Amino acid sequence: MSDEQVHEAQARIATAVHSADVLLFMKGTPLFPQCGFSSRAISILDHLGVEYATVDVLQDQGIRQGIKTYSDWPTIPQLYVKGEFVGGSDIMMEMYESGELTDLFAEKGVANAG
Amino acid sequence: MRPWKRGLLRFLSFDPSSAKTASSLQTGYIEAMTTYPTGPVATAIEERLRAALSPTRLAVIDDSEKHRGHAGHDGSGESHFTVEIVSPTFEGQSRVARQRAVNTALADLLAERVHALAIKARAPSEV
């Protein structure tokens, strides 16, 4: 990818993370996750009942590569709340189990899924 | 939530009772080097983490067999791993910082050999 393409992908990622209160970069879609870690992340978000949006990195090579440098995080899924990087699926699971994820969503005023 | 999802979540969540059983079996010098014997990639992961993070407890578990036939399983095994690590360097660090430290220590392996890595990182005070 050219520098211009890399720059363009970073700009699209920045737009995406601010496009929803809760945004998950994942492989596949919520109904058809293409990876066990993404599937686990979706299960957690569904269980907590928050409204969320997803970006399927398999549909966009620029985002798939760019998301790794955007937050200096090498793996997918990646969870963002109000534009801030929270973590990957291991961190989501730990925060879910300890109740911290529920607290974070409440603290940030995240809407429940309708 | 749909019942199958609840089941899935339970299936995927870490079972703390098994970790307690493992730790209760560790005594003395064995505690510093608990690993499940596996192939060269697992050995490399273990060596890197020992050198970078001086763990007081370390388990490198090869989950590859569970993923046979799915993307990323290259047939040689040694593609999917779980690392459970306790290190004093994690004291006071955020979860993100801890995972970054593990990922940094394993950067070239993650780029070339390892398809998936689950990380449980704790400080000694949390064990």
Side-chain angles (χ1 to χ4, degrees):
Chain A
M1 266 188 292
S2 69
D3 284 357
E4 197 177 313
Q5 283 169 315
V6 169
H7 185 76
E8 189 266 343
Q10 291 295 317
R12 276 190 295 136
I13 291 166
T15 306
V17 301
H18 291 99
S19 68
D21 283 359
V22 179
L23 187 87
L24 185 75
F25 289 89
M26 66 180 291
K27 293 181 179 174
T29 64
L31 274 181
F32 297 103
Q34 299 297 313
C35 151
F37 295 99
S38 289
S39 173
R40 186 167 73 166
I42 289 294
S43 296
I44 292 169
L45 293 177
D46 283 350
H47 186 68
L48 294 179
V50 290
E51 205 171 271
Y52 63 88
T54 63
V55 173
D56 180 1
V57 303
L58 299 179
Q59 300 301 320
D60 190 321
Q61 274 306 315
I63 288 184
R64 187 177 184 174
Q65 290 310 313
I67 194 65
K68 296 176 182 179
T69 47
Y70 183 79
S71 288
D72 182 27
W73 195 259
T75 53
I76 292 150
Q78 293 187 15
L79 178 71
Y80 292 78
V81 176
K82 297 254 171 163
E84 282 174 33
F85 176 60
V86 175
S89 74
D90 294 323
I91 288 177
M92 285 178 71
M93 183 53 90
E94 286 177 14
M95 291 180 72
Y96 165 74
E97 286 176 334
S98 68
E100 286 164 84
L101 203 51
T102 308
D103 294 347
L104 177 72
F105 288 148
E107 193 183 297
K108 298 278 185 181
V110 167
N112 287 327
Chain B
M1 185 166 77
R2 294 179 197 91
W4 67 266
K5 280 195 178 157
R6 205 176 299 128
L8 180 66
L9 205 58
R10 196 176 304 127
F11 170 69
L12 291 166
S13 66
F14 177 67
D15 176 9
S17 61
S18 62
K20 270 189 200 116
T21 311
S23 64
S24 66
L25 294 171
Q26 293 160 10
T27 50
Y29 67 93
I30 297 170
E31 185 163 302
M33 44 176 296
T34 304
T35 4
Y36 303 94
T38 29
V41 179
T43 306
I45 291 174
E46 193 189 320
E47 287 170 358
R48 301 293 173 78
L49 293 176
R50 284 258 164 73
L53 300 168
S54 311
T56 53
R57 194 178 299 168
L58 175 64
V60 178
I61 302 153
D62 186 344
D63 301 322
S64 308
E65 201 49 39
K66 288 192 228 162
H67 301 274
R68 181 166 289 283
H70 118 76
H73 192 294
D74 64 3
S76 71
E78 298 220 275
S79 53
H80 294 65
F81 290 92
T82 296
V83 164
E84 294 177 13
I85 181 168
V86 179
S87 166
T89 63
F90 295 148
E91 213 72 66
Q93 281 189 347
S94 70
R95 289 192 174 89
V96 168
R98 293 173 187 187
Q99 293 221 0
R100 278 196 181 123
V102 171
N103 287 327
T104 301
L106 304 177
D108 57 326
L109 293 171
L110 288 172
E112 289 162 22
R113 285 301 314 264
V114 177
H115 172 70
L117 180 71
I119 301 168
K120 294 256 163 208
R122 292 191 185 80
S125 66
E126 298 157 1
V127 176

